[in-house]
Amino acid sequence: MMSKKNANFAADLVAGIDPGAQAPAARRPGIGASVLAGRESRLAELATGSVVSRTHELVDPARCRMWAGHNREYALLNEERCADLIESIKAQGKQEMPAIVRRVKDDPAFDFEVICGARRHWTISWLRAHNYPDFRFLVDIRSLTDEEAFRLADLENRARDDLTDLERARDYLRALDAYYEGRQKVMAERINVTESWLSRYLDLARLPAELMAAFALPQDLRIKHVTAIKPLLKPEDRRQRVFAEAGRLAQVQSDRAAPMPVPDI
């Protein structure tokens, strides 16, 4: 069950209302024409459907980039991994759940970066290129620090089956140094998990590349594999035997994947 502390965090960051938003000031006599023009423009956007609410907007996905700290490997997304979302959005005729973004500064190519919602971004982009050019990307615009963005993305993706253990593990390892100065206990407290739970993910992210070569798809590695593999890496002589076996398995897989030669007739 989510703790009260984590529930409050979730309520603050996941709610559709911008926590930093200020209530509009009462209209004063003599208000400037530019302010009135701005309000009229906003009303026009609301009327056309371009702006959905104070923080929700429909935007061009091409104007959105992935946040550098995003916990999903965007390059791994494809039609198969997003098939359920593709069908759902086609059936609904729109994207129901907004992605969470923040504004980009000093980059004329983009207006926003995606904190949560890589699959939604990929799917809308794919649909626009495949007979649905009118679909737009629904976003919830937030003001977040990098550490807040990391915690929010982790909270949203914690229970998602489509995010692999390895993707999550690598994100945790990166965040450990980026936001928590390598202090595992502090990080565990901030994301509301036990140290032992976090440690298993960090162990997965730290598995040597020589060992991962044995897996045709490293994304198939799971937390359960760490328990079996980690003891095999000590002492050093056993570690080297494990690496040698991993290399042999990698070669077998490579040979199987190689196309059969066409005999000369």
Side-chain angles (χ1 to χ4, degrees):
M1 181 176 292
M2 186 179 292
S3 69
K4 182 177 180 181
K5 175 182 175 183
N6 206 38
N8 289 338
F9 165 72
D12 287 343
L13 291 185
V14 181
I17 300 175
D18 184 353
Q22 297 284 334
R27 183 174 176 179
R28 299 185 304 274
I31 190 167
S34 61
V35 175
L36 288 174
R39 288 182 180 175
E40 289 174 357
S41 174
R42 188 69 172 182
L43 286 173
E45 290 175 331
L46 286 165
T48 60
S50 176
V51 177
V52 179
S53 71
R54 179 175 293 276
T55 60
H56 292 190
E57 295 192 15
L58 289 164
V59 302
D60 181 353
R63 298 294 302 174
C64 303
R65 70 187 187 195
M66 289 300 108
W67 173 44
H70 201 285
N71 58 1
R72 188 186 294 279
E73 294 187 41
Y74 193 88
L76 295 178
L77 294 177
N78 54 39
E79 189 176 352
E80 180 181 355
R81 290 190 71 182
C82 297
D84 59 330
L85 197 52
I86 290 172
E87 293 307 313
S88 174
I89 293 177
K90 285 168 63 176
Q92 295 291 333
K94 61 182 179 179
Q95 175 191 336
E96 293 283 354
M97 181 68 68
I100 297 175
V101 304
R102 64 182 179 183
R103 294 192 183 277
V104 168
K105 297 179 180 179
D106 304 322
D107 188 343
F110 300 99
D111 301 316
F112 307 99
E113 58 184 6
V114 180
I115 306 300
C116 305
R119 287 180 78 239
R120 279 160 279 179
H121 179 273
W122 189 96
T123 299
I124 291 293
S125 300
W126 186 91
L127 285 167
R128 283 167 64 91
H130 292 81
N131 302 319
Y132 293 89
D134 295 331
F135 278 165
R136 301 184 74 193
F137 188 40
L138 179 63
V139 299
D140 181 354
I141 305 166
R142 305 287 183 88
S143 177
L144 300 166
T145 66
D146 283 350
E147 195 268 346
E148 288 172 336
F150 161 70
R151 286 190 290 124
L152 177 56
D154 174 54
L155 189 64
E156 184 183 78
N157 287 310
R158 187 87 55 88
R160 290 182 182 272
D161 293 334
D162 60 290
L163 189 71
T164 68
D165 285 352
L166 186 59
E167 285 175 304
R168 182 173 288 113
R170 286 173 171 170
D171 187 46
Y172 285 163
L173 184 59
R174 178 194 61 81
L176 181 65
D177 290 328
Y179 312 130
Y180 306 108
E181 300 178 341
R183 295 180 293 174
Q184 188 171 318
K185 182 178 181 180
V186 173
M187 179 174 172
E189 290 176 350
R190 290 289 285 168
I191 65 175
N192 198 39
V193 299
T194 65
E195 282 191 74
S196 60
W197 186 92
L198 177 60
S199 180
R200 287 193 291 273
Y201 276 95
L202 297 175
D203 286 341
L204 173 58
R206 289 168 174 150
L207 287 178
E210 296 92 333
L211 188 148
M212 287 189 172
F215 292 80
L217 295 174
Q219 287 71 29
D220 289 340
L221 278 164
R222 296 287 184 265
I223 289 298
K224 62 183 180 182
H225 296 132
V226 175
T227 304
I229 292 174
K230 189 178 178 181
L232 300 178
L233 300 180
K234 293 181 180 180
E236 185 62 26
D237 61 335
R238 181 191 292 173
R239 178 186 180 93
Q240 293 307 315
R241 291 199 301 273
V242 169
F243 286 174
E245 178 62 14
R248 186 189 70 80
L249 292 172
Q251 186 60 53
V252 169
Q253 293 172 20
S254 177
D255 292 342
R256 288 175 178 172
M260 294 293 290
V262 179
D264 294 332
I265 299 177

